[in-house]
Amino acid sequence: MSKTQPNPRFQYDDMTDSVALHHLANDYGANDVKYWMGRNHIISPQDVLYYADAYGDLEDAILLQSWDKRLPSRVHKALLDSGLDIYEAVNNHELKAERCPCCNADMWRFEIWQGGDYTSTDWVDEWGNVTDDFVEFVE
């Protein structure tokens, strides 16, 4: 399993918002960055820059900005391809791998905010499968 491979010359966690936004504007254009900032979609410029450097896409980086950076890249890709509104995910900063006793795979539980006090629970496995069907096996 490979982890994300962002720019090795950056210390993303030590970077200020303005420096991260400057790099994003240089890479993706000031107008695009302004547009997403105006819609309040760039919450953590450092995280957006991290994922933009790792995957080369600003919109994907915005969706992944709150996700655990330690997840394998295929897991991030699966989350993007899942069709779920991963921008609305909650408690996804420090996901812990759980071992599925049936398939012996690492799996990560995440929740998507559905409105009000309601969240839905889904799982993503180490191969990039996103489902809510594994709950019975892991719990």
Side-chain angles (χ1 to χ4, degrees), residues 1 72 74-75 95-109 123-127 134-139:
M1 288 186 280
R74 71 177 133 227
V75 169
L95 297 176
K96 293 187 178 21
E98 298 181 43
R99 207 72 179 153
C100 176
C102 292
C103 61
N104 201 29
D106 283 337
M107 299 182 69
W108 294 269
R109 177 193 336 219
W123 297 86
V124 60
D125 67 23
E126 64 188 69
W127 299 291
F134 286 103
V135 176
E136 64 185 277
F137 299 122
V138 178
E139 289 189 335

Side-chain angles (χ1 to χ4, degrees), residues 35-79:
Y35 170 78
W36 290 111
M37 287 293 292
R39 296 187 69 186
N40 295 323
H41 284 128
I42 297 179
I43 298 165
S44 172
Q46 298 87 343
D47 282 356
V48 172
L49 180 62
Y50 176 91
Y51 284 115
D53 286 346
Y55 298 119
D57 186 274
L58 181 60
E59 290 182 39
D60 287 353
I62 289 168
L63 291 173
L64 288 171
Q65 68 186 307
S66 67
W67 285 87
D68 191 334
K69 293 179 182 95
R70 298 170 299 148
L71 295 174
S73 59
R74 71 177 133 227
V75 169
H76 288 134
K77 179 76 171 133
L79 290 166

